[in-house]
Amino acid sequence: MDEKIIIIGAGAAGIASAARLYKKGFRNLEILEATNRIGGRIQTVPFGANVVDLGGQWCHGEKGNAVYQLAGPLGLLESSIVSDDNVILRSNGELVPQDIADRMMAISEKIMESKEIERYTGTLGQYFTERFMKTMELPKNRDIGEELIQQFLAYFHNEQRGFIAIDSWYNLTAAGSAADEECEGDQELSWKGKGYRSVLELLLRRHPAQNDVSIPVEKFTKFNKFVTNISWYNGPDRPLVVTCADGTQHEAAHVIVTSSIGVLKENLRTMFTPQLPMAKQKAIKGIYLGTVNKIIMEFGKPFWKSLGNVFGLMWEQEDLEQLRHSKFAWTEGVSMFLKVDRQPNLLVAWMIGSEGRQAEQLPDKEIIDGMMFLLKKFFKNKDVERPIRMIRSKWSSDKNFRGSYSSRSLTTEALKTGHDKMAVPVKNSEGKPVLMFAGEATSEEYFGTVHGAIASGWREADRIVEYYEE
């Protein structure tokens, strides 16, 4: 097939599309990548004694999971250190008693997993708070004081802001929070110290565990090509024209857009000529792209070693009030600290929401000062030394991403749209799919995940293959 196919973006979805098409015999391919690397929101970099992931980190689940489908049979995954031994630290330096922490977490997970969440008409915050408070009033839970209950509510809200990638659980409906699906199996599978870049190697048939012919993606990828416009005239005999910021123009019969929903939001008015169909515009406006960043620190010695693997942060009310009036107010956006698989001297802070966007604008020294403030407060009885080195992500301020991963919002519901609308191709007057969309924000079931992004790339590649097989 000689028809030219352009793929915008060399992230997981773009690489998956290109690899699938190449394997099916399509050779007239061109990837236009805005940055100087492949991977998108998969970014494995050297740090500490090995590598770390600034973006995607774990394979979430096994059954029906595109990532597990690639890596699981080859034995490339293992259960992550963060899958157990979770503790909650208080800002007074004490640990929440483990039996009480476990009980409140079990109650919370039951509420979040209840089928009732899909029928509730209010926000997630309303839904959860009502049910949690009602459960805590039961006689078996009356040993937990009101102050601790309120502090746990704030802690769990912060945790969910990070998991869902939204600024507040009052910004989306309860039903919207349950719109995505979870693949069965271990939810935190790590890469045995090799990093998430392994999945890119698998897609391109060049992982050492594979015995296959590599797909030469670099031959048809052009880097530092930020797309400013896609002209997709609706007639049958005119090519699509993709214009880049450097003035170059690229013609094709089909274009697969894998840009993040944040990039599409920011450039919606100028990126497409003519404007996209209204259903597509609503989807782009309605889907939210949240901020979830990592601050990864290397220490001379792991002062947290005997405490646990994941550290939730629970603020005393007085401490929280003081924090909000201090120069470290932005650190309220740290939802937790986590250990790193196979790197015992590293500790990661999850930096989320509006505070996460604020932190992206601060210099490294202020970030480290803020982390030291938190660590000394929550690890009061430990000898906390300043980290040797620090590396962090800044997904929201990067014009090539504008956020970390997508979620639904109240705007999604108000516009009566969703991730499924992003997956609908734009066809010309003859019914030919000329403009297609892939990426995690186009996955109805698995948005916000790498496996959703990869499956969407395969989906759009298959759409083109099927069109020419008809």
Side-chain angles (χ1 to χ4, degrees):
M1 208 287 292
D2 291 330
E3 294 271 41
K4 175 80 169 288
I5 301 167
I6 287 178
I7 299 165
I8 298 173
I15 294 298
S17 293
R20 186 80 139 214
L21 287 166
Y22 191 90
K23 199 172 180 183
K24 293 286 186 178
F26 291 75
R27 292 294 184 269
N28 197 0
L29 304 173
E30 185 174 55
I31 300 178
L32 300 176
E33 166 54 41
T35 72
N36 60 1
R37 62 178 180 84
I38 68 167
R41 283 167 279 174
I42 294 174
Q43 189 176 10
T44 305
V45 298
F47 189 77
N50 191 6
V51 295
V52 293
D53 284 306
L54 290 175
Q57 184 167 349
W58 300 286
C59 171
H60 298 295
E62 300 164 49
K63 188 176 180 181
N65 183 312
V67 173
Y68 190 84
Q69 179 183 326
L70 290 163
L74 298 175
L76 304 181
L77 298 166
E78 65 184 1
S79 187
S80 172
I81 195 172
V82 305
S83 61
D84 60 12
D85 204 8
N86 297 4
V87 299
I88 301 176
L89 303 175
R90 304 181 74 167
S91 58
N92 62 8
E94 297 175 2
L95 272 172
V96 176
Q98 198 62 45
D99 61 326
I100 290 177
D102 289 346
R103 195 192 326 167
M104 289 195 288
M105 283 303 298
I107 289 167
S108 301
E109 288 166 7
K110 187 176 180 180
I111 291 170
M112 293 296 290
E113 292 167 6
S114 169
K115 284 291 182 184
E116 186 188 356
I117 197 170
E118 298 172 12
R119 301 187 296 271
Y120 189 82
T121 55
T123 67
L124 175 62
Q126 292 167 330
Y127 166 83
F128 183 86
T129 302
E130 287 173 9
R131 275 141 194 80
F132 185 76
M133 294 304 294
K134 190 173 181 180
T135 305
M136 296 312 293
E137 289 171 2
L138 297 174
K140 63 181 179 181
N141 294 322
R142 286 181 184 161
D143 59 318
I144 303 177
E146 177 67 22
E147 186 179 7
L148 189 60
I149 290 170
Q150 291 300 325
Q151 290 170 6
F152 179 86
L153 263 177
Y155 153 76
F156 192 74
H157 177 205
N158 220 21
E159 180 187 83
Q160 292 302 305
R161 291 201 304 147
F163 289 165
I164 300 170
I166 200 158
D167 286 5
S168 168
W169 60 10
Y170 294 104
N171 289 350
L172 80 164
T173 64
S177 73
D180 58 329
E181 295 185 19
E182 194 174 89
C183 296
E184 291 179 25
D186 193 331
Q187 293 302 304
E188 288 95 20
L189 289 164
S190 70
W191 293 91
K192 296 186 175 181
K194 303 297 184 183
Y196 221 130
R197 66 184 177 195
S198 300
V199 84
L200 301 173
E201 296 171 355
L202 291 168
L203 286 167
L204 295 172
R205 316 302 297 172
R206 58 179 67 165
H207 193 282
Q210 295 169 308
N211 184 22
D212 208 339
V213 178
S214 171
I215 295 172
V217 68
E218 291 82 5
K219 286 187 178 180
F220 51 85
T221 300
K222 293 182 178 176
F223 294 100
N224 301 305
K225 293 288 185 179
F226 186 88
V227 171
T228 55
N229 183 259
I230 304 167
S231 178
W232 57 278
Y233 174 69
N234 202 28
D237 297 318
R238 188 186 296 183
L240 288 80
V241 180
V242 179
T243 304
C244 297
D246 62 4
T248 58
Q249 293 191 321
H250 310 256
E251 294 186 353
H254 305 271
V255 173
I256 302 175
V257 180
T258 74
S259 310
S260 80
I261 198 78
V263 170
L264 295 178
K265 280 176 179 291
E266 185 170 66
N267 301 286
L268 182 58
R269 292 179 64 185
T270 56
M271 193 170 178
F272 300 96
T273 305
Q275 291 292 309
L276 291 173
M278 190 53 64
K280 190 74 71 181
Q281 291 189 48
K282 282 185 177 181
I284 292 170
K285 291 174 183 176
I287 295 168
Y288 189 72
L289 192 68
T291 300
V292 181
N293 283 316
K294 296 174 188 173
I295 300 168
I296 308 174
M297 297 166 284
E298 180 183 10
F299 292 86
K301 57 182 180 181
F303 59 83
W304 57 87
K305 192 173 181 180
S306 61
L307 286 175
N309 294 331
V310 180
F311 309 101
L313 307 182
M314 183 184 288
W315 286 94
E316 301 285 309
Q317 189 57 40
E318 185 178 345
D319 288 340
L320 189 56
E321 289 300 323
Q322 290 176 2
L323 175 73
R324 288 172 175 170
H325 291 89
S326 78
K327 65 179 180 179
F328 296 127
W330 57 271
T331 64
E332 189 178 351
V334 175
S335 62
M336 65 184 74
F337 289 106
L338 309 98
K339 289 185 180 180
V340 178
D341 290 283
R342 301 195 180 205
Q343 290 239 53
N345 284 29
L346 301 191
L347 195 64
V348 181
W350 264 35
M351 186 76 242
I352 62 175
S354 58
E355 302 92 342
R357 292 190 291 280
Q358 182 185 348
E360 289 189 26
Q361 308 305 317
L362 300 176
D364 285 358
K365 183 185 180 300
E366 287 188 38
I367 295 295
I368 295 173
D369 289 345
M371 293 302 99
M372 288 298 293
F373 164 78
L374 280 186
L375 291 169
K376 286 184 174 181
K377 193 159 198 65
F378 283 90
F379 293 86
K380 268 194 172 62
N381 301 318
K382 300 292 181 181
D383 181 17
V384 182
E385 297 179 357
R386 201 168 178 86
I388 301 167
R389 289 190 295 164
M390 181 271 288
I391 190 171
R392 56 177 169 146
S393 59
K394 300 179 184 178
W395 295 112
S396 290
S397 56
D398 191 325
K399 72 171 186 176
N400 299 312
F401 301 101
R402 293 303 187 210
S404 304
Y405 46 90
S406 69
S407 58
R408 294 178 72 92
S409 69
L410 293 178
T411 307
T412 317
E413 316 307 334
L415 293 176
K416 294 182 171 56
T417 187
H419 293 77
D420 58 321
K421 303 296 191 297
M422 285 302 302
V424 178
V426 176
K427 298 181 178 181
N428 69 9
S429 56
E430 291 189 334
K432 177 182 180 180
V434 293
L435 187 57
M436 291 152 284
F437 293 80
E440 56 87 10
T442 74
S443 174
E444 181 180 7
E445 297 174 309
Y446 304 126
F447 56 86
T449 68
V450 176
H451 59 267
I454 289 173
S456 75
W458 288 341
R459 179 193 70 218
E460 296 312 313
D462 290 345
R463 194 188 303 278
I464 291 175
V465 172
E466 289 164 12
Y467 175 78
Y468 287 102
E469 286 179 347
E470 288 178 356

